[in-house]
Amino acid sequence: MATKLNIKDKYRLLTRDLDWDFDYQDRKEAFPQEDFEGIKITDWSKWEDPFRLTMDAYWKYQAEKEKKLYAIFDAFSQNNGHVNVTDARYVNAIKLFLTGVSPLEYQAHQGFAAVGRQFSGVGARVACQMQSLDELRHVQTQVHAMSHYNKFFDGFHEFPHMHDRVWYLSVPKSFFDDARSAGPFEFMIAIGFSFEYVLTNLLFVPFMSGAAYNGDMATVTFGFSAQSDEARHMTLGLEVIKFLLEQHEDNLPIVQKWINKWLWRGYRVLALVAMMMDYMLPNKVMSWKEAWEVYFEDAAGSLFKDLARYGIVMPDYVETIAKEKEHLSHQAWWIFYNFTHASAFHTWIPSAKELDWLSEKYPSTFDQYYRPRFELAAEMEKAGERFYCSGLPQLCQVCQIPMGFTEMDNPTLISYRDSVYKDDRYHFCSDGCKTIFDDEPEKYVHSWLPVQQIFQGNCGGADVETVLKDYYRINMGADNMEYAGSPDDLRWKAWKGVA
Amino acid sequence: MPVHAMTPDYHGDVKDARENYHGNIMVFIGWDHHLLFCASKAIPLPPDMTFGQLIEQVMPDAFGQHPEFKKINWETANWLLDGQAFSPDLSKGLEEQGVGHKSLIRFATPELMGYANAGI
C-alpha cells in the first residue's frame, strides 16, 4: 500500500512539481507571449504562491459550498422568494448584473485560463488556472440564481446574446475584451490587480449588500459563496504586482502606466454600479459617493501608501474621480432614462422620498443640477410625453459610454475630448479615455461602437426598432421602456393585491 | 508606439472609416447647456447637404423634443466645429465648409439657458 503523502509533499507535487524542463525545445517558444510587453522577469522561483491550495483540496472545499448554495436556491424557489423583495423595481438591478457582470465572470474564466498557459513560472500558472475555475463557477451560480427571476420578470431571457450586442453592455464587454487582447502581464494588472483587488469591493459589495437590503436572498447567497474565492483572487492580484516590481526596476514605469489605465477603465465601468446604488435600489445601502470614499479613498489610499516603497504613485485621474463622485451616478442614470426604449431594463423618475435622499447625500450638486432634470421629465410625463431621447448618442471611443459626462468646473457642459489619428477623428468622454487612446491608437481604432455599427448597417436593420427587436432580441414593450405600467409593474401589483 | 503588440507593425482595421457609411458622413451634433439630451446626437448625413437643410430638416428631429427648441433664434446661435469657432454658410454643403467625417458640431443659444435656467 502506498504511503499517504504529508501535506507539504502533496502541495509541492501538485503545484511546483507540475512544471518540467524543456530539453529539446526552446523555453521561449513554449511561452511566446512573455516578452513582448517589455516586462522583465529574472527569476520565477521568487514567485510566492498567494494561497496554499492543491486541486484536490479545492474540489472538496468548493463542493461543500455548492451543496449549501444550491440548497438555498431550492428553498428560495420553492418559497417564491421573488415576491419577498422590497419592490419589483429592485429586480432591474439584477437584470443589469446578469447581462452586464455575469458574462464578465465568464470572460475572466477565459482570460485567466489563457494567461495561465502563458506564464513560464509554474506558481503563477497554477494560481491563474484556479482562478479561472472559480470564475467559471461564479458565472454558473449566478445564472442559476437568476434563472428563478427569469420565470417571473422580463429582461433576463437573452443575457449572453445581449451582452455581445446591446449598446450599454458593450461598456463592460469592451473593458474585458481590451484586457484579454493585451499581453498576459497587462491582463494580470488590469483584471488581477486593478479590478479584482482595487475595485472589486465597489462592484460586489454594492450588489450583494443591495440584495441583502432588498430581500433578495438568492443573490446574497451566491455573493457569500463567492467571497472566499474573491479573497484568493485579491491575494493573487497583490502578489502579481509585488512580484513584477521586485523582479526588475524597468518594470515600474510599465506597471504604473497599466495601473493608471486600468483604474480609469474600471472606474468608467463602475458608472453602472453607481447608478444602481443611487437609483435602482428601493432600500438604499449607501450612496455611490460614500462607497467611493470608503472603498477607494480609505482602503486603496493605504494600499498605494504600501506600494510607494516600490515607486508606485497614486493613479492618474484620482482627483478627477473624486470630483466626479458628486455627479457620476446622476449622469449615468440620466443616460439610461434617455434611452430606456433601447434598454433591457426599466428606468423611472425617483420618488419624492428618493429625490430627498439624493439631495441629502449630494448636497452640493443634486438640487442644482439634477433635481431639475427629473422635474422636467416629470412635467413631460404628466403631459403624456414620457421622454425617450430621439436618435442615437455620441459614444466615447474608449469606454464606449454615451458622452453624457460633463466638465467638473462647468457641470452643465458635456466634456468633449478628441484626437486626430491618421486623418480620422476620435472622440472621448474624458482626459482618461483620451490618454488611453493616444497611447495605443491602433488598438482602439477598431473599437466596435454600437451606434456606429447600427448606422453602418451591421446590426440587421436600418431602423432602430428592428435593431432592438431582432438584433438585440429585446422583447419590445416588456423588457424596455418606463417602469410604471410595465408588465413587471403590473404583475407585481397583482401579486401584492394593490391597484 | 501606436500599439504594444506581438505582431511587428500591427495595424487595426478602422471600424468607422468613411467608406463604411454608404456615401454619408457621420456627424455629431450637440446643443450646449441643454442636458435634457444626455449626450450629443450621432447622425449620418450626406456630405453635400447644405447647412440650411441641416437646420430645417435634421435639427427638429434631433432636438425638437426640448421645450425651448421652438424658441431658438438660429441667427444668434454660436457654433463650434471640432472645437473651433465657426460661422456656418447656410447655402453651402457641409463638407464644403469643413464639416468632415466624425466632426463634432456644437451650438449654443445665448438667450436660452435650458429648463429652469439650469442648463437642462
Side-chain angles (χ1 to χ4, degrees):
Chain A
M1 202 176 108
T3 41
K4 209 174 166 197
L5 292 167
N6 69 38
I7 289 175
K8 204 177 154 202
D9 286 339
K10 195 158 108 180
Y11 181 76
R12 183 180 49 77
L13 286 167
L14 288 173
T15 56
R16 296 302 175 98
D17 233 41
L18 294 174
D19 202 16
W20 62 84
D21 292 327
F22 292 75
D23 45 20
Y24 58 91
Q25 285 289 346
D26 183 357
R27 199 172 173 91
K28 281 205 177 307
E29 280 179 40
F31 299 100
Q33 296 184 12
E34 209 167 68
D35 293 327
F36 80 91
E37 298 172 274
I39 290 289
K40 293 176 183 159
I41 305 296
T42 53
D43 184 3
W44 269 110
S45 74
K46 293 280 181 346
W47 171 274
E48 281 178 43
D49 292 346
F51 37 86
R52 302 278 160 139
L53 195 61
T54 57
M55 199 42 88
D56 58 341
Y58 176 83
W59 292 133
K60 200 177 150 205
Y61 187 57
Q62 298 297 64
E64 287 291 315
K65 289 198 294 185
E66 295 280 277
K67 231 194 274 174
K68 289 180 196 152
L69 177 62
Y70 282 87
I72 293 174
F73 287 169
D74 285 346
F76 183 79
S77 178
Q78 281 162 17
N79 295 321
N80 285 324
H82 62 282
V83 298
N84 296 324
V85 300
T86 43
D87 183 73
R89 287 184 308 161
Y90 162 74
V91 177
N92 292 286
I94 55 174
K95 293 177 192 178
L96 186 60
F97 192 89
L98 183 69
T99 54
V101 180
S102 299
L104 301 188
E105 306 269 16
Y106 191 65
Q107 287 235 50
H109 156 66
Q110 294 173 301
F112 279 99
V115 298
R117 161 67 183 82
Q118 291 301 335
F119 292 128
S120 65
V122 66
R125 284 211 303 274
V126 171
C128 287
Q129 284 165 13
M130 256 179 216
Q131 177 156 356
S132 173
L133 291 170
D134 284 341
E135 305 290 3
L136 185 60
R137 188 177 91 84
H138 294 176
V139 65
Q140 286 172 340
T141 56
Q142 288 165 19
V143 172
H144 290 149
M146 304 289 182
S147 72
H148 178 77
Y149 286 101
N150 182 42
K151 296 174 193 162
F152 301 98
F153 297 92
D154 296 312
F156 289 94
H157 54 102
E158 290 283 358
F159 75 93
H161 178 90
M162 286 182 178
H163 186 75
D164 286 345
R165 297 188 175 198
V166 175
W167 59 278
Y168 55 93
L169 299 173
S170 78
V171 175
K173 177 181 159 58
S174 62
F175 168 86
F176 248 91
D177 288 347
D178 189 349
R180 285 178 58 203
S181 54
F185 290 111
E186 185 176 349
F187 177 87
M188 289 305 290
I189 298 298
I191 306 303
F193 176 72
S194 299
F195 202 64
E196 297 275 347
Y197 192 91
V198 184
L199 297 176
T200 189
N201 282 335
L202 283 155
L203 178 64
F204 285 95
V205 177
F207 270 108
M208 298 318 142
S209 6
Y213 273 58
N214 288 280
D216 174 10
M217 289 333 284
T219 299
V220 172
T221 316
F222 79 60
F224 273 128
S225 179
Q227 212 167 37
S228 54
D229 303 346
E230 298 296 346
R232 262 186 290 114
H233 302 171
M234 290 177 79
T235 55
L236 174 57
L238 201 57
E239 171 59 22
V240 165
I241 196 156
K242 290 188 169 169
F243 178 69
L244 293 186
L245 294 169
E246 281 168 4
Q247 281 291 306
H248 204 289
E249 59 185 16
D250 291 355
N251 293 343
L252 174 64
I254 304 175
V255 169
Q256 179 75 57
K257 190 178 81 177
W258 288 338
I259 292 177
N260 295 348
K261 169 182 173 181
W262 288 98
L263 181 86
W264 184 260
R265 291 288 270 126
Y267 162 71
R268 273 293 186 242
V269 174
L270 291 178
L272 298 172
V273 180
M275 73 167 196
M276 185 283 292
M277 296 181 76
D278 285 345
Y279 286 89
M280 299 175 84
L281 297 179
N283 274 354
K284 302 193 195 305
V285 180
M286 57 166 68
S287 67
W288 161 256
K289 182 179 161 212
E290 289 165 327
W292 181 259
E293 287 164 355
V294 172
Y295 295 114
F296 187 83
E297 291 175 4
D298 297 349
S302 43
L303 166 71
F304 280 98
K305 262 184 213 143
D306 190 35
L307 292 174
R309 68 192 156 107
Y310 297 108
I312 290 290
V313 296
M314 206 46 153
D316 288 347
Y317 308 117
V318 164
E319 283 167 31
T320 309
I321 300 174
K323 288 180 195 156
E324 284 193 5
K325 71 188 175 189
E326 302 272 356
H327 300 270
L328 182 75
S329 64
H330 318 302
Q331 296 181 354
W333 182 248
W334 192 245
I335 292 170
F336 284 93
Y337 188 85
N338 266 236
F339 289 99
T340 296
H341 52 296
S343 307
F345 61 88
H346 303 293
T347 62
W348 52 86
I349 298 170
S351 68
K353 204 176 130 200
E354 287 167 333
L355 290 169
D356 290 345
W357 182 86
L358 290 162
S359 300
E360 185 201 318
K361 293 293 179 186
Y362 296 97
S364 51
T365 54
F366 189 75
D367 285 350
Q368 191 180 351
Y369 301 114
Y370 302 106
R371 187 183 279 268
R373 294 192 189 187
F374 295 111
E375 286 169 352
L376 173 55
E379 274 180 28
M380 294 173 84
E381 192 173 310
K382 210 171 157 194
E385 295 283 331
R386 199 283 192 194
F387 180 59
Y388 297 109
C389 188
S390 67
L392 297 175
Q394 180 182 22
L395 306 178
C396 172
Q397 186 78 20
V398 172
C399 71
Q400 308 203 2
I401 300 177
M403 289 191 27
F405 299 120
T406 65
E407 298 289 356
M408 285 301 105
D409 56 3
N410 192 350
T412 64
L413 195 65
I414 300 278
S415 159
Y416 293 104
R417 301 289 183 273
D418 65 356
S419 294
V420 174
Y421 178 70
K422 288 187 178 170
D423 302 328
D424 264 313
R425 190 174 294 275
Y426 297 90
H427 299 269
F428 317 102
C429 68
S430 55
D431 293 323
C433 285
K434 176 178 157 61
T435 306
I436 292 166
F437 177 91
D438 289 344
D439 186 52
E440 289 191 282
E442 287 292 342
K443 183 167 194 179
Y444 299 97
V445 295
H446 56 166
S447 295
W448 192 93
L449 297 176
V451 166
Q452 271 82 332
Q453 290 299 314
I454 290 171
F455 285 134
Q456 289 175 35
N458 297 334
C459 300
D463 66 292
V464 172
E465 191 168 329
T466 312
V467 172
L468 299 177
K469 188 162 64 67
D470 298 335
Y471 189 73
Y472 288 179
R473 298 191 193 157
I474 286 178
N475 188 0
M476 303 291 277
D479 297 342
N480 60 350
M481 311 302 272
E482 164 67 34
Y483 174 74
S486 66
D488 270 6
D489 180 30
L490 300 179
R491 275 191 298 267
W492 180 258
K493 285 177 174 152
W495 297 335
K496 295 287 171 180
V498 293
Chain B
M1 230 182 335
V3 73
H4 306 277
M6 273 180 83
T7 322
D9 201 28
Y10 174 85
H11 291 288
D13 58 323
V14 179
K15 275 269 187 297
D16 300 328
R18 180 172 173 170
E19 56 267 27
N20 298 345
Y21 284 85
H22 317 287
N24 286 326
I25 53 173
M26 176 96 160
V27 180
F28 304 105
I29 308 179
W31 184 2
D32 282 355
H33 302 294
H34 283 75
L35 291 173
L36 170 66
F37 309 105
C38 66
S40 290
K41 303 289 179 88
I43 309 172
L45 297 170
D48 58 355
M49 170 182 261
T50 65
F51 218 92
Q53 288 171 320
L54 176 80
I55 288 176
E56 278 165 35
Q57 295 164 20
V58 176
M59 292 302 200
D61 282 344
F63 300 102
Q65 289 171 301
H66 198 289
E68 286 186 342
F69 181 79
K70 289 195 180 72
K71 297 183 211 156
I72 293 178
N73 178 357
W74 292 109
E75 313 240 307
T76 57
N78 299 316
W79 299 86
L80 288 173
L81 172 62
D82 295 322
Q84 305 296 319
F86 172 62
S87 305
D89 182 332
L90 297 187
S91 61
K92 277 191 182 161
L94 295 174
E95 193 166 28
E96 204 184 341
Q97 53 191 313
V99 178
H101 178 53
K102 295 204 282 171
S103 273
L104 168 67
I105 299 172
R106 288 162 58 186
F107 64 101
T109 47
E111 60 275 20
L112 301 172
M113 303 304 290
Y115 175 79
N117 292 323
I120 292 162

